[in-house]
């Protein structure tokens, strides 16, 4: 009991002053992206702002990684575009609640560690597609908008990339937005603003059930979206948590974090916000500003809603050009440039997977489809690569025939294995050398059993050598004396 | 390299600390037990793909990055046949150096006066300035 009180105090109040200051900095950094990602998803800016508020506040209490910041993110926003376009906001809110429920279940079942099973090339493709989509989502806001808009975007980018050379004390994206907004209002530029995209309501979010028909049909519409949202949200959150772990020299509770993300998304959906997840950029800002405890996330959320309540009208004056500049920065920062420079060194199949993932996403505007294609392609390539075994045969000095297996022995490679043996033509003594092989599954063990049987029937001696421990274990577990089903 | 060492002293208690440090240094560098740690602090977090590739093992990504950044330094140590350990950290470089010194009982920090960001005629880089201010131990700033 005393230990729990101590822990509670530690994770909340051990770093009071810095947590509050860092939280305020983070709140400022949350505004531009929350608005911009709402616009990408095709919803009112408030949906993203409410999401960041609800998620940041909830995660402060239920998260597993103190000091990490979560909110509305680009990776999640991009997954929602088609749902919003085809079915509207209420379906997005329902999908958000369902995303949360899926994540809660995953957290309870401790599924976090399986997330890194996604093939690396697919992940690369996903990230690059994400960057390209964020960029493409900006195109309608500047192409053909005239030199004034181009100039404002260029000025925004100039401040974003130039200011950090002078000072890192303030988030440069926010300064850019303030400067460009002030300029545009003062000079009466009359360019497109956030206000033209939707309304900034200066009010707290209110609880409401998503206005949808509770039916199987609805479920089938939102489930695919919720599944991908849940997956991407968990992945992003675990990636970010590992970075925060390293920066703070502390360990996070991964499954508690996933469950926490789930709780946060469920609550957010009921309060009119879109699904979100951990934010790498904002978390790094938080830790670098000294934020370590749960309080930093709580302050970030509270200060964000305070800013909206007080400054809502000002937010509506932000020119879209400034947000476009911020999003171009996000896009450039998201793209994995190394994957281009590495192109010549990476095996061709991996590049193929990465490029197909990107191509499918960019063509369909659907990250989930791209990931699915990437995973299937990886699986096929993997299977094709791994199902290749070579069988070498050699007649030893003492008249023994030795078969050497090279490669992975499993259901897809057993037929080649079985066909290599010439039971009748072989001498009296035969050995199979598994030194360069691994026996993986039931089919493989059965195939071995079949071969052993055949040699025994022919009255010949057969022995196996060079089995590694794992292969030996599976063979012993299943048994090769009495093959099942042949 | 350090044949003639100048100890500037005004007789104050701080100058006395400096004198003790000189004596300590002379003694320590004959001592075979001393340990040399190379620390490289990475300023930018690893990318998603780097993390995925390393199975979320951030340390290994940082080590790879650090290996590239300090390759020439490691080479120098190897040539001089001086044993060292390479450590890595993630975050603000000055914070990283000071934190490391605090948590690892470091007795002396040696840093350059300027770094990669050297522009103009400023005397001290931002990292060396902050480390000098915040370090828990003596700092030797090499020009
Ligand atoms: N990322 C870092 N990791 C470890 N040491 C660093 C790092 N950055 C700077 N230093 C140390 O601080 C010294 C001064 O660098 P810095 O203050 O960054 O100067 P500048 O502003 O010219 O880059 C460097 O010579 C180096 O010894
Ligand atoms: Mg520097």
């Amino acid at each position: 009991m005393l230990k729990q009180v101590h822990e509670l105090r530690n994770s909340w109040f051990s770093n009071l002053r810095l947590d509050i200051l860092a939280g305020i900095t983070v709140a400022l950094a949350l505004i531009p992206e929350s608005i911009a990602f709402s616009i990408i998803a095709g919803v009112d800016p408030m949906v993203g702002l409410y999401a960041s508020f609800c998620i940041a506040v909830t995660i402060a209490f239920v998260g597993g990684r103190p000091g990490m910041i979560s909110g509305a993110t680009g990776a999640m926003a991009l997954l929602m575009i088609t749902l919003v376009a085809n079915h509207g906001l209420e379906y997005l809110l329902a999908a958000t609640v369902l995303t949360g429920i899926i994540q809660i279940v995953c957290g309870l079942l401790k599924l976090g560690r399986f997330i890194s099973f996604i093939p690396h090339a697919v992940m690369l493709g996903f990230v690059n597609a994400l960057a390209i989509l964020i960029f493409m989502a900006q195109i309608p806001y500047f192409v053909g908008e005239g030199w004034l808009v181009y100039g404002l975007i260029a000025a925004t980018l100039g401040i974003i990339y130039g200011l950090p050379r002078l000072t890192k004390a303030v988030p440069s994206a926010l300064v850019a937005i303030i400067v460009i907004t002030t300029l545009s209002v003062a000079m009466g530029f009359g360019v497109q603003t956030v206000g033209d995209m939707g309304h900034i309501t200066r009010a707290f979010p209110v609880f409401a059930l998503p206005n949808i028909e509770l039916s199987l049909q609805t479920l089938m519409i939102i489930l695919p979206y919720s599944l991908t949202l849940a997956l991407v949200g968990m992945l992003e959150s675990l990636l970010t948590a590992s970075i925060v772990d390293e920066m703070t020299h502390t360990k996070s509770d991964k499954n508690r974090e996933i469950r926490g993300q789930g709780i946060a998304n469920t609550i957010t959906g009921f309060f009119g916000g879109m699904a979100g997840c951990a934010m790498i950029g904002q978390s790094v800002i938080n830790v670098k500003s000294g934020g370590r405890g749960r309080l930093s996330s709580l302050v970030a959320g509270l200060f964000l809603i305070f800013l909206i309540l007080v400054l809502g009208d000002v937010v509506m004056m932000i020119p879209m050009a400034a947000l476009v500049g911020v999003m171009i920065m996000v896009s450039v920062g998201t793209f994995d440039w190394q994957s281009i420079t590495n192109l010549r060194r990476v095996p061709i199949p991996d590049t193929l997977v990465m490029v197909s993932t990107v191509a499918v996403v960019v063509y369909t505007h659907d990250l989930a489809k791209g990931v699915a294609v990437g995973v299937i392609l990886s699986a096929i390539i993997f299977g094709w690569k791994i199902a290749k075994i070579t069988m070498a045969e050699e007649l030893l000095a003492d008249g023994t025939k030795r078969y050497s297996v090279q490669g992975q022995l499993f259901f897809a490679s057993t037929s080649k294995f079985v066909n290599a043996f010439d039971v009748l033509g072989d001498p009296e003594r035969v050995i199979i050398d598994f030194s360069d092989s691994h026996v993986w599954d039931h089919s493989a063990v059965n195939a071995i059993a079949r071969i052993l049987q055949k040699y025994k029937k022919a009255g010949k001696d057969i022995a196996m050598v060079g089995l590694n421990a794992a292969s030996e274990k599976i063979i012993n577990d299943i048994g090769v004396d009495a093959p099942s089903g042949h | 390299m350090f044949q003639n060492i100048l100890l500037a002293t005004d007789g104050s208690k701080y100058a006395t600390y400096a004198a003790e440090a000189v004596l300590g240094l002379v003694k320590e560098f004959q001592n075979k037990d001393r340990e040399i740690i190379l620390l490289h602090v990475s300023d930018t977090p690893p990318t998603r793909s780097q993390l995925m590739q390393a199975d979320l093992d951030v340390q290994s990504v940082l080590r790879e990055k650090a290996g590239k950044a300090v390759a020439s330094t490691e080479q120098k140590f190897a040539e001089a046949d001086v044993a060292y350990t390479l450590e890595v950290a993630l975050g603000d470089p000055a914070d990283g150096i000071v934190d490391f010194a605090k948590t690892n009982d470091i007795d002396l920090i040696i840093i350059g006066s300027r770094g990669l960001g050297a522009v103009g005629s400023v005397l001290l880089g931002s990292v060396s300035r902050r480390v000098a201010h915040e370090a828990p131990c003596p700092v030797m700033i090499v020009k």
Side-chain angles (χ1 to χ4, degrees):
Chain A
M1 184 61 202
L2 227 100
K3 191 168 158 259
Q4 275 158 333
V5 172
H6 182 77
E7 244 173 49
L8 198 72
R9 204 175 49 197
N10 223 357
S11 64
W12 276 101
F13 304 119
S14 63
N15 190 32
L16 207 62
R17 193 180 63 86
L18 283 175
D19 274 352
I20 292 175
L21 286 176
I24 291 174
T25 313
V26 168
L28 295 173
L30 277 173
I31 294 180
E33 291 187 23
S34 302
I35 296 173
F37 290 138
S38 312
I39 294 171
I40 284 183
V43 293
D44 216 56
M46 290 316 291
V47 179
L49 290 167
Y50 281 159
S52 291
F53 161 68
C54 291
I55 294 173
V57 168
T58 314
I59 277 288
F61 293 92
V62 297
R65 176 59 267 180
M68 184 160 88
I69 302 295
S70 301
T73 61
M76 301 291 264
L78 284 162
L79 294 172
M80 309 165 180
I81 299 175
T82 45
L83 177 63
V84 174
N86 297 335
H87 301 280
L89 174 64
E90 296 299 324
Y91 277 79
L92 171 61
L93 300 182
T96 298
V97 172
L98 184 59
T99 300
I101 294 170
I102 294 170
Q103 288 176 328
I104 293 173
V105 172
C106 289
L108 291 175
L109 295 179
K110 303 196 193 308
L111 293 181
R113 65 206 154 92
F114 293 112
I115 211 90
S116 51
F117 285 1
I118 298 176
H120 176 229
V122 177
M123 189 58 202
L124 257 183
F126 173 81
V127 166
N128 287 344
L130 184 63
I132 294 172
L133 282 193
I134 292 179
F135 187 84
M136 282 173 48
Q138 308 311 313
I139 293 176
Y141 298 107
F142 67 85
V143 168
E145 290 290 314
W147 289 105
L148 182 55
V149 169
Y150 299 155
L152 289 178
I153 295 174
T156 309
L157 287 169
I159 297 175
I160 287 174
Y161 288 111
L163 189 66
R165 287 168 190 273
L166 302 177
T167 171
K168 286 181 179 164
V170 280
S172 64
L174 189 76
V175 173
I177 285 188
I178 292 173
V179 170
I180 302 298
T181 306
T182 312
L183 200 70
S184 143
V185 171
M187 312 280 284
F189 283 154
V191 290
Q192 205 176 25
T193 65
V194 169
D196 298 329
M197 299 293 117
H199 199 72
I200 298 286
T201 325
R202 290 171 54 185
F204 274 106
V206 287
F207 179 89
L209 293 174
N211 185 13
I212 48 150
E213 189 191 331
L214 278 179
S215 68
L216 192 65
Q217 200 192 357
T218 308
L219 182 69
M220 291 327 283
I221 292 172
I222 62 173
L223 186 63
Y225 289 97
S226 298
L227 279 173
T228 33
L229 283 168
L231 190 74
V232 169
M234 289 190 282
L235 186 61
E236 286 282 305
S237 302
L238 291 181
L239 288 178
T240 312
S242 70
I243 290 173
V244 176
D245 281 2
E246 182 65 33
M247 290 184 83
T248 59
H249 308 291
T250 50
K251 273 211 136 10
S252 52
D253 182 339
K254 301 275 178 350
N255 291 305
R256 180 171 176 193
E257 180 59 41
I258 288 178
R259 201 185 58 204
Q261 292 285 336
I263 297 172
N265 277 328
T266 308
I267 292 179
T268 302
F270 285 126
F271 280 92
M274 63 200 224
C277 63
M279 317 175 81
I280 297 182
Q282 274 68 8
S283 301
V284 169
I285 291 178
N286 188 42
V287 175
K288 279 195 176 169
S289 316
R292 291 290 185 279
R294 297 181 175 276
L295 192 61
S296 57
S297 179
L298 179 66
V299 170
L302 291 177
F303 196 65
L304 174 67
I305 199 80
F306 168 78
L307 285 173
I308 297 166
L309 294 181
V310 177
L311 299 175
D313 297 346
V314 181
V315 170
M316 287 210 284
M317 297 176 199
I318 298 174
M320 281 308 292
L323 281 189
V324 168
V326 172
M327 285 298 104
I328 291 177
M329 169 202 73
V330 171
S331 153
V332 170
T334 303
F335 197 88
D336 195 294
W337 298 99
Q338 236 182 355
S339 66
I340 302 290
T341 51
N342 278 354
L343 222 47
R344 255 175 299 154
R345 274 186 285 142
V346 173
I348 290 172
D350 281 354
T351 305
L352 190 71
V353 171
M354 194 269 276
V355 172
S356 326
T357 308
V358 173
V360 171
V361 173
V362 172
Y363 184 70
T364 61
H365 279 226
D366 190 339
L367 284 167
K369 286 207 182 84
V371 170
V373 167
V375 169
I376 292 168
L377 205 56
S378 304
I380 293 172
I381 291 173
F382 178 73
W384 172 73
K385 254 199 292 199
I386 205 159
K388 274 206 298 205
I389 55 167
T390 46
M391 301 284 300
E393 20 189 299
E394 187 186 2
L395 207 55
L396 301 181
D398 64 349
T400 307
K401 173 94 166 266
R402 180 173 69 190
Y403 288 95
S404 303
V405 193
Q406 206 167 46
Q408 313 295 321
L409 205 55
F410 69 116
F411 66 87
S413 58
T414 50
S415 70
K416 186 158 183 215
F417 170 78
V418 171
N419 290 337
F421 293 92
D422 176 15
V423 181
L424 297 178
D426 276 346
E428 290 304 304
R429 276 209 316 265
V430 174
I431 54 177
I432 314 175
D433 185 351
F434 287 96
S435 306
D436 293 321
S437 180
H438 191 126
V439 180
W440 283 108
D441 62 2
H442 207 253
S443 313
V445 177
N446 277 346
I448 295 171
R450 271 206 306 279
I451 293 297
L452 297 190
Q453 283 281 314
K454 280 188 189 165
Y455 279 98
K456 278 186 190 146
K457 247 192 207 149
K460 296 178 180 177
D461 242 9
I462 181 146
M464 297 186 284
V465 297
L467 283 167
N468 62 25
S471 303
E472 190 134 24
K473 183 173 183 317
I474 188 171
I475 288 177
N476 288 335
D477 285 353
I478 299 174
V480 287
D481 296 331
S484 57
H486 37 119
Chain B
M1 185 174 183
F2 294 114
Q3 284 269 313
N4 307 319
I5 297 175
L6 173 72
L7 171 67
T9 169
D10 59 356
S12 66
K13 71 174 179 194
Y14 298 101
T16 315
Y17 297 157
E20 283 163 5
V22 170
L23 296 175
L25 207 58
V26 171
K27 221 166 74 195
E28 285 303 324
F29 274 78
Q30 294 159 351
N31 176 1
K32 285 272 171 273
D33 280 345
R34 61 163 165 58
E35 204 185 323
I36 298 182
I37 299 166
L38 291 187
L39 172 66
H40 178 72
V41 186
S42 184
D43 200 14
T44 47
T47 63
R48 288 182 181 83
S49 65
Q50 285 171 328
L51 280 173
M52 292 293 292
Q53 198 160 30
D55 242 345
L56 298 195
D57 181 356
V58 186
Q59 272 276 327
S60 76
V61 180
L62 295 179
R63 280 191 179 276
E64 197 175 318
K65 272 212 263 183
K68 282 184 198 139
V70 304
S72 64
T73 312
E74 291 199 271
Q75 169 112 36
K76 276 205 167 61
F77 274 72
E79 276 165 11
D81 196 22
V82 173
Y84 65 92
T85 39
L86 177 64
E87 292 288 345
V88 290
L90 175 62
D92 176 74
D95 284 340
I97 296 169
V98 171
D99 280 350
F100 187 91
K102 280 184 183 155
T103 44
N104 291 279
D105 254 341
I106 296 298
D107 303 311
L108 171 66
I109 300 175
I110 302 180
I111 50 173
S113 59
R114 299 299 319 261
L116 290 175
V119 273
S121 56
V122 186
L123 292 178
L124 275 188
S126 57
V127 176
S128 35
R129 184 163 40 81
R130 277 197 51 210
V131 170
H133 274 287
E134 297 167 25
C137 62
V139 178
M140 177 167 160
I141 298 177
V142 180
K143 288 193 85 157

